[in-house]
């Protein structure tokens, strides 16, 4: 059964301490979607670490990032 965890983090907002992007847990596929601004409507980049350890990355990174992790099959 897949476990899904999603985190929206606006990292480095003024007046608030910077927050780290959650690390990809061992045994999970991790995807990040990067947005242009705080409206969270325009996707400008992405990153995925697959269960086999391979990576796919495109576009740009921003401080507006959504992280999704799904448990890999055993």
């Amino acid at each position: 059964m897949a476990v899904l965890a999603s985190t929206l983090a606006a990292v480095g907002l003024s007046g608030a301490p910077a927050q780290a992007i959650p690390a990809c847990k061992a045994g999970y596929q991790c995807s990040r979607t990067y947005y242009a601004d705080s409206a969270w409507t325009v996707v400008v980049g992405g990153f995925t670490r697959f269960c086999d350890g391979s990576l796919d990355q495109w576009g740009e990174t921003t401080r507006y990032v959504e992280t999704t992790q799904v448990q890999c099959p055993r």
Side-chain angles (χ1 to χ4, degrees):
M1 180 173 167
V3 175
L4 178 64
S6 180
T7 303
L8 292 176
V11 179
L13 296 176
S14 62
Q19 298 176 12
I21 296 172
C24 295
K25 297 179 194 175
Y28 284 76
Q29 177 175 301
C30 177
S31 296
R32 296 185 183 123
T33 304
Y34 295 94
Y35 295 88
D37 55 32
S38 62
W40 302 88
T41 55
V42 178
V43 175
V44 295
F47 165 91
T48 301
R49 179 181 307 266
F50 296 96
C51 292
D52 65 3
S54 63
L55 301 173
D56 183 26
Q57 186 173 343
W58 63 274
E60 62 184 91
T61 60
T62 69
R63 64 184 183 181
Y64 304 102
V65 58
E66 176 183 30
T67 299
T68 305
Q69 296 188 38
V70 179
Q71 191 171 20
C72 297
R74 296 178 188 221

